[in-house]
Every structure is written in structure tokens, then in C-alpha cells.
Amino acid sequence: MLKMTHLSKSFRTEVVETYALRDFSIHVRPGEFVAVTGPSGSGKTTFLNIAGLLETSTGGTYELDGEDVSKLGDDARSRIRNGKIGFIFQAFNLIPDLNVYDNVDVPLRYRRMPGAERKKRIGEVLERVGLSARMRHYPAELSGGQQQRVAIARALAGSPKLLLADEPTGNLDSQMARAVMQLLEDIHRDGATIVMVTHDPELAARAQRNVHVIDGQVVDLGEAPTLRMNAQAMG
Amino acid sequence: MHILPILHALRRHRLTSLLLVAEIALACAVLCNAGALIAARWTALRVDSGVDEASLAAIRLQGFDADDAGDINARVLQTVRAVAGVQSISIINTVPFGPTVANAGITTDADGRHFAGVVDFYVGAPGSFEALGLHVVAGRAPTADDAQPVHAFVPDEASVQIPRVLARHLWPGEDPLGKTFWVGKRRFHVVGVLDHLSVPGPGGGEEKDADWSVFVTGVPGPQFAGSYLLRAAPDALPRVLSASLAALRQAMPDVVIDEPYSRPLTELRQAYFEKDRFMAGLLLGVMAALLMVTALGIVGLASFWVQQRTRSIGVRRAIGATRRDILRYFQIENFIIVGAGVTLGLGLAVALNLALMQVYELQRLPWVYLPPTGLGLLLLGQLSVLAPAARAAQVSPATATRSI
Ligand SMILES: Nc1ncnc2c1ncn2[C@@H]1O[C@H](COP(=O)(O)OP(=O)(O)OP(=O)(O)O)[C@@H](O)[C@H]1O
Ligand SMILES: [Mg+2]
């Protein structure tokens, strides 16, 4: 599904060139739920941005869904973001001027999807995140957990092959965080591939696989069976 | 295609949007009316006097005794004829862009029941018609036999030439030749139709044509003296005129020359339309300022919104908007706002015109000014929003994850 080989990303300011990612290789198979952990500044967001085609790498190759996407132009990248990727952000990132319904509608419109189909899908995903009753609410009228569920609905609406989440529970209290995590697990059970960046070891433990990033490089911790068992014992 | 969600989003910025809509509506209304006013002045400025302006100059005297009139006419003609370069000098009561000296209401019947409007009378001595260079399109030019003595500005009865516009007004669809019109008991028979001959003061804004004038041939006398028509080659005219005026001052130190009216016709025309040109310039300035303020308003608000929505734009990009989609968003948004402003503005333009018509002598606003003004404003809006929209399109999709 997602395959990065010897990927590098450097940011060049006037004087220094800092490497956010170095010789970064990772392979995420279809249907996997991968949690990415690591200290602050280690390159987790950078990895997710490149994986989601929000930024370009400065070296190495990136294959998404069997297609080399490292050399694509801006329009093609936009189209792939729209068609294959669903984003969930730490700050929810709903559009404040649009109500819940219109927010979920945004990516579908960019896909030029016919109106009837859009309506059907929006109804379905809002049902799924349990917010059908809030369609006409504006983001400011919702709790953080509700906002994040709208954001998840928006990410799901286009039936993406890959869900990318950057600390999706980072701005939520533990109760709301659990609900959001539960939702992601349900989505994963239905077959979605999920890559989630998190600081929370408990959440990371609930993923199938943990990837630890330090200084822009991957330290694969494998299947983490013990942590997973612990999490189940606690859950 | 994104009109509906853009409208929904605009609802959240109702006040700001409405302010801009109001500004554009106001600009639209003022632009339409100012444009129409300028166009009206421009048409007035370009009026065809029907005479050879480039070859003609007027000479007017004042402060002479009516008893000396006959003597004065003879002395002026004799003096000016002697000046080198003079092609002709003749007596005429006034010229286009000169003073209005003889206008009167006319009727198309002897009993004075069918009032047909107020016309200006040109009274010219034999030779003046040819000097003016008037074009006869039907009937005939005056002959020396047509000349009638002048009592109180015009003869009591005379054969006259009138422009075709006046002929059509007086007798629509009929042959004007042989027709008669009256000023009280005075009778005038139409023997010739002219291409054009404008009144001395055309374009006053009244409901009458510039060509509502009559040419009458008169015999110089006490009531018909002191105003002359000088003809010379166009390039020699200024020199010939000043030489003639100098000769007159020397030969007739007792008379006073009316300087403002003793000038080439091109200068009289220039002076006559001075105020119109000034007004047109002023209106153009107002229009330019208004357009600029409107454009700046659009640029300002669009820039503000782009800045304010940077994060949303990044999010849109992250979830699949192309740069073009973002550009479109701002263009469509601008189109909605300016479109609303223009729609409102066109209605306002008509209302403003009706209000102005109550206060000033003004024509009804011709509807042809509305579409170009509306389209022009829409275009201005799109041009103004281009730079802010292009900036929005450059917002990186990574903005969605990078800035908190
Ligand atoms: N636009 C940029 N310009 C320069 N350096 C950058 C830029 N974006 C990120 N970096 C640097 O790249 C490195 C990795 O940043 P990144 O945001 O990926 O870290 P992170 O693991 O997500 O951290 P956190 O857990 O705090 O979110 C950091 O050293 C950061 O300073
Ligand atoms: Mg981060």
C-alpha cells in the first residue's frame, strides 16, 4: 500500500540544511493499522506529510498503491490526495464557515461527484460517526470530540485506501480520545489501512504494529505482542 | 459548480459582504449616470454647426448709435475689404457659438394656434449665406432679391432656408418647400432646406434639436448693424482677423470692439464648450476615483479573506483541491459579490437618474449604458481578485498540518 525506500527530506533555511528524514524506509501493507511514535521533532509529521503527498521528499522513492508518486506534478498529487487518502488532523481542521454537512461535502465536490451520490455518502458517514443529528451545526457549535468525528467522516466520505492521522486524539480529553480511537479501530476492522502518529503509548499499543521514529529514521519495534496483550487486558 | 457552498460560507460573513455589495452598487449607479452625462456632453461638444468654422471669424461692435448704423456698416465693410487675405466680409446678426440675438416661438398656422417650438433666426445680408458655406439639400439658396428690410430683429415677411431636422419637425413626412410658418403676424416661406445649421447656443439640454434655426436674408439697416462675418483661408484667418480689427480700430476710433465675440469660430466654439469640457473632465475624474476605490475595496477584502482563511485553504488543498480549484473559489466568490452589487446598482442607477431628473434638466438614462457598466464592473472585480486569488492558490497543503 505504502512503500518508502531510502527516503530523505531536508529543510533548507538561509544557513543550515536540517534533515527531518534520513534514509527512511517503511512498508505498510494493505489493511494494516500502524502507529508511529517518537520524540518531538523526530520527523513523524514530516513522514505523514510526505506519505499524504502534502510535501515532497528530497530523495529516495515513494510508492503509493503500487504507483511511484515521488515525481508527480501538483495537480496529480491533488487528485491522489482527494481519491486515495483520508486525513485526520490533530487540530480537526474543519472549515469554520461551513456546517457539518458542507464540511463533509468538500472533498466530494473536488472529486466532481454527482449530487445524489454525495448526499448518500454524506448521510452514510455521518450516520457512522453518530452525528446525523448535527448536520446543520457549525464546527464552533460542536465539542472537540464531535469535531474530530466530523473530520473522520470527511476523511471517510471518499472511501480512501489509506487513512493518515497525525495525533488525532492530541487535542481531546481521554474520554473523547477513547471514543475516537474506538471509531478508528472499527474503521480498521472494516478493512481500511491506517497510519496514525501518536504520543500516547496506550493508543499506540492498540495498533497492529508500532513504528518508532528517532532522528528521522525508523526503528521498527515489530508486532509489539506484549503491549497489545496489555492493552487488551486493560481495555 | 461550487456556488452553493460558497454562498453558504458567505452567509457567515454577511456584514462584510453586504458592505462590499453596497459599495459596488453605489459605484455602479454613479458610473452609469456619470457615463450617460459625459456621453451627452460629448455629443453636444461634437455638434455640427453646418458652417465652415475653420474659414470664419465674427466681428462684433458695441456702443454705436442706431442712427449711425447705415454709416457704420458701410465703413466696416470698406475698411475690412481693404485688408489683405480677406475673402469676404458680410453683415450677419450672429454666428454659431456667438450670442443668441433673435429667437422666437413659431406657429404653423396664421392664427397662432399650432405652436411648434422656439427657433433661432440668423439674419444675414446678401453674401453671408455663401460665406457661411451652408449646404442646400433641397430648394434653393437665397438670392439678392430675397433680402427684406429688418424691423425689430427680423423682417416682417421673407423667404427662408431651414435645416432638414426642423423641416421634419414642423411638417413630418411632407415636403417643406413652399410651406409657411408664423411669428405672430410675421410670415416666413420656406424656399430651401439645409443639411445643417445649428443655433448659436446648441446643446442647452432642452428638448430641442441643435438644428432648430432659420436663415433669413435681410437688408442692412439701423436694426441690422454692428455684427459681421469675416471669411479667409483657414491658415491665414487669425492673422487676417487681427489685421482687420487693427484696421477698424484705426479707421473708427469711436466704436468699441466686442472682444470676446470678435474671434475665429473655432475659438468661439472652444470657449462656448469650456464648461462642458470641464464638467466632463470632472465626471471622468470622479469615475476614475470611484473605479479605483472599488478595485481597492475588492483587493483589500479579498486579501484579508485569503489571509484569514490561509489554514482553511491549506486544508482544502490537503483534502484534494487543486490550485485551480482554490483560484476558482475566490473568483466565483468575487463574481457572486460583484454580481449582487451590479444587479442592485443597475436598479439604483435608474432610481438615481429619475431623482436627478426631478432636480436638473436631464435626459432619461439610456438603457444602453447599463450592460457595459455592469460588465465592466464584473471584469474589474475579476481583475482585482486575481492577485489575492493567485496568492491563495499558492498556499501549501502542508499548512494543514504545520501551523497550529
Ligand atoms: N518547514 C520547515 N522548515 C524547517 N524545518 C522544519 C520544517 N518543518 C519541520 N522542520 C523540522 O523537521 C524536523 C521534524 O519535524 P516534524 O514536524 O516532522 O516533527 P514531529 O516528529 O512531528 O514533532 P512533534 O511530535 O513535535 O509534532 C524538526 O526538526 C523540525 O524543526
Ligand atoms: Mg508532529
Side-chain angles (χ1 to χ4, degrees), chain A residues 11 45-46 49 54-55 74-75 78 81-82 87 89 91 93 95-98 102 106-107 109-110 112 138 154, chain B residues 1-2 4-5 8-9 11-13 309 311-312 315-323 325 397-398 400-402:
Chain A
F11 292 100
T45 296
T46 306
N49 277 359
L54 300 181
E55 285 175 11
D74 193 78
D75 280 2
S78 301
R81 285 200 295 272
N82 185 251
F87 281 100
F89 308 95
N93 278 345
I95 293 167
D97 294 338
L98 297 178
D102 285 336
V106 170
R109 279 185 181 267
Y110 287 133
R112 276 75 171 150
Y138 283 88
R154 180 176 68 184
Chain B
M1 60 162 290
H2 294 309
L4 216 59
H8 288 172
R11 271 206 309 242
R12 305 280 287 179
H13 301 275
R309 297 179 194 162
R311 191 180 183 78
S312 289
V315 172
R316 285 176 184 274
R317 291 280 283 132
I319 61 181
T322 59
R323 290 198 175 122
D325 286 326
T401 51
R402 289 293 185 195

Side-chain angles (χ1 to χ4, degrees), chain B residues 224-286:
Chain B
F224 181 25
S227 173
Y228 308 90
L229 182 68
L230 173 73
R231 186 174 176 113
D235 51 342
L237 187 64
R239 184 172 42 78
V240 173
L241 176 64
S242 30
S244 302
L245 293 178
L248 283 174
R249 280 189 202 98
Q250 194 172 28
M252 308 166 67
D254 46 325
V255 300
V256 179
I257 292 168
D258 185 353
E259 304 281 354
Y261 280 118
S262 300
R263 292 156 80 183
L265 257 62
T266 49
E267 279 182 28
L268 288 179
R269 182 187 190 108
Q270 184 88 3
Y272 179 78
F273 286 119
E274 192 69 59
K275 245 190 271 168
D276 293 84
R277 262 197 309 277
F278 177 74
M279 272 303 288
L282 202 69
L283 284 171
L284 268 178
V286 167

Side-chain angles (χ1 to χ4, degrees), chain A residues 4-5 12 16 18-19 25-27 62 81 83 88 109 132 137 143 188-189 195-196 201 209 219-220 222:
Chain A
M4 292 178 174
T5 335
R12 193 170 312 207
V16 285
T18 51
Y19 274 86
S25 297
I26 188 173
H27 187 182
Y62 172 25
R81 285 200 295 272
I88 302 160
R109 279 185 181 267
S132 299
H137 284 62
S143 75
H188 171 240
R189 202 167 307 118
V195 177
M196 174 181 75
R209 177 152 72 103
V219 186
D220 201 331

Side-chain angles (χ1 to χ4, degrees), chain B residues 28 32 338-339 342-343 346 369-380:
Chain B
C28 184
C32 282
V338 179
V342 163
T343 311
L346 293 182
Y369 291 101
L370 305 182
T373 310
L375 288 178
L377 278 171
L378 282 172
L379 196 70
L380 180 79

Side-chain angles (χ1 to χ4, degrees), chain A residues 53 56 64 67-78 80:
Chain A
L53 303 185
T56 51
L64 176 66
E67 181 187 3
D68 182 358
V69 292
S70 30
K71 307 251 163 354
L72 290 178
D74 193 78
D75 280 2
R77 297 162 64 80
S78 301
I80 291 175

Side-chain angles (χ1 to χ4, degrees), chain B residues 290-320:
Chain B
L290 210 56
L291 283 172
M292 202 145 94
V293 167
T294 309
L296 284 178
I298 292 169
V299 172
L301 187 63
S303 300
F304 173 66
W305 274 351
V306 168
Q307 193 199 358
Q308 200 189 32
R309 297 179 194 162
T310 303
R311 191 180 183 78
S312 289
I313 295 165
V315 172
R316 285 176 184 274
R317 291 280 283 132
I319 61 181

Side-chain angles (χ1 to χ4, degrees), chain A residues 11 13 18 20 39-46 167 199, chain B residues 402:
Chain A
F11 292 100
T13 49
T18 51
S40 181
S42 57
K44 304 181 299 293
T45 296
T46 306
E167 305 196 30
H199 268 126
Chain B
R402 289 293 185 195

Side-chain angles (χ1 to χ4, degrees), chain B residues 21-51:
Chain B
V21 166
E23 186 193 340
I24 290 162
L26 210 64
C28 184
V30 173
L31 285 173
C32 282
N33 282 282
L37 283 174
I38 289 176
R41 308 240 165 203
W42 181 246
T43 319
L45 276 170
R46 284 158 28 109
V47 69
D48 182 357
S49 67
V51 308

